[in-house]
């Protein structure tokens, strides 16, 4: 049965994070980040988490990365409410290339999400992200557009994608560090239910020590 083309829209959410990266050698580096998300503005935090990963520079164009995310989900709606632990394990391959004034980026990720809420629930996804950045002469805030596809894995998973993420972003310099300003639209298409569009503003500060 075909899914309806219309969708329910959620309120604007906020995703903020501070991160940094450290090089251990010419090929090995580690990344760390602390973040929180809200469901409806800064007054309603829905989750907070930390993330750590280690990357290996396979070449000038390819990087391999593995990491973990661990945090708390603050559920204040529905029948089961409270604070619940969740974590994510992931492994990914990144590629970058350029052509004239364009910068291309791809990412292929496998992730396993586990949530401790009335028992343990685990979901696996394969994600593919493609992005293009436009290098504008004499302009520092170059725009970047991306789209990402989420493919659920497992015997009970639906066919096709259960989420698509559209994003536009730019980087600006703030106090000698990079501040990324992004706008997301997540289109979730759960099995046998109406699609949901989630709108999110992202503010990501990358510290350079």
């Amino acid at each position: 049965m075909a899914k309806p083309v219309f969708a329910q829209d959620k309120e604007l959410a906020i995703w903020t994070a501070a991160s940094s990266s450290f090089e251990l050698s010419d090929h090995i580096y580690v990344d760390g980040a602390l973040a929180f998300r809200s469901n409806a503005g800064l007054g309603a935090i829905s989750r907070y988490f930390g993330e750590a990963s280690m990357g290996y520079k396979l070449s000038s164009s390819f990087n391999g990365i593995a990491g973990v995310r661990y945090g708390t989900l603050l559920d204040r709606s529905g029948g089961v409410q409270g604070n619940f632990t969740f974590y994510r394990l992931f492994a990914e391959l990144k590629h970058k290339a350029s052509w004239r004034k364009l910068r291309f980026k791809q990412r292929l990720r496998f992730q396993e999400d586990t949530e401790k809420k009335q028992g343990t629930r685990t979901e696996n996804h394969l994600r593919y992200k493609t992005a293009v950045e436009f290098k504008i002469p004499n302009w520092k805030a170059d725009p970047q557009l991306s789209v990402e596809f989420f493919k659920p894995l497992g015997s009970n998973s639906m066919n096709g994608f259960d989420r698509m993420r559209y994003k536009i972003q730019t980087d600006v310099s703030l106090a000698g560090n990079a501040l990324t300003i992004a706008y997301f639209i997540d289109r979730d298409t759960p099995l046998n239910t109406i699609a949901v569009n989630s709108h999110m503003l992202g503010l990501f500060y990358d510290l350079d020590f």
Side-chain angles (χ1 to χ4, degrees), residues 50-113:
E51 184 171 296
S53 63
M54 178 173 288
Y56 186 84
K57 299 178 182 178
L58 301 168
S59 68
S60 60
S61 301
F62 286 94
N63 288 6
I65 302 168
V68 60
R69 174 183 294 184
Y70 186 88
T72 298
L73 171 66
L74 286 71
D75 193 339
R76 299 295 182 262
S77 63
V80 181
Q81 301 184 20
N83 298 343
F84 306 99
T85 299
F86 72 93
Y87 59 89
R88 169 182 296 171
L89 304 175
F90 63 89
E92 62 189 34
L93 181 66
K94 288 185 175 181
H95 175 260
K96 61 181 180 179
S98 62
W99 180 74
R100 295 186 178 180
K101 298 298 182 180
L102 302 178
R103 303 292 183 268
F104 302 99
K105 301 176 183 178
Q106 287 81 40
R107 184 183 74 181
L108 182 65
R109 166 184 282 196
F110 169 80
Q111 69 183 38
E112 179 182 85
D113 291 311

Side-chain angles (χ1 to χ4, degrees), residues 75-208:
D75 193 339
R76 299 295 182 262
S77 63
V80 181
Q81 301 184 20
N83 298 343
F84 306 99
T85 299
F86 72 93
Y87 59 89
R88 169 182 296 171
L89 304 175
F90 63 89
E92 62 189 34
L93 181 66
K94 288 185 175 181
H95 175 260
K96 61 181 180 179
S98 62
W99 180 74
R100 295 186 178 180
K101 298 298 182 180
L102 302 178
R103 303 292 183 268
F104 302 99
K105 301 176 183 178
Q106 287 81 40
R107 184 183 74 181
L108 182 65
R109 166 184 282 196
F110 169 80
Q111 69 183 38
E112 179 182 85
D113 291 311
T114 300
E115 184 179 293
K116 304 281 189 177
K117 182 179 179 180
Q118 278 195 327
T120 300
R121 183 172 64 91
T122 300
E123 292 183 348
N124 295 332
H125 277 87
L126 189 65
R127 297 167 55 174
Y128 173 69
K129 178 181 178 181
T130 182
V132 58
E133 182 180 12
F134 302 89
K135 305 297 289 185
I136 302 174
N138 303 317
W139 182 259
K140 295 183 179 180
D142 296 321
Q144 178 177 300
L145 303 174
S146 67
V147 60
E148 187 169 12
F149 306 89
F150 292 67
K151 167 63 178 173
L153 303 176
S155 58
N156 295 324
S157 299
M158 60 183 288
N159 294 324
F161 308 112
D162 63 355
R163 171 178 291 179
M164 293 181 65
R165 172 172 291 170
Y166 306 92
K167 181 171 70 168
I168 181 171
Q169 71 176 61
T170 189
D171 297 332
V172 297
S173 179
L174 181 63
N177 300 298
L179 173 66
T180 298
I181 304 171
Y183 179 73
F184 301 80
I185 298 177
D186 281 356
R187 184 176 176 86
D188 292 292
T189 53
L191 187 63
N192 298 326
T193 59
I194 188 173
V196 178
N197 291 331
S198 301
H199 303 264
M200 187 158 46
L201 176 65
L203 300 172
F204 310 111
Y205 195 54
D206 187 41
L207 299 169
D208 187 10

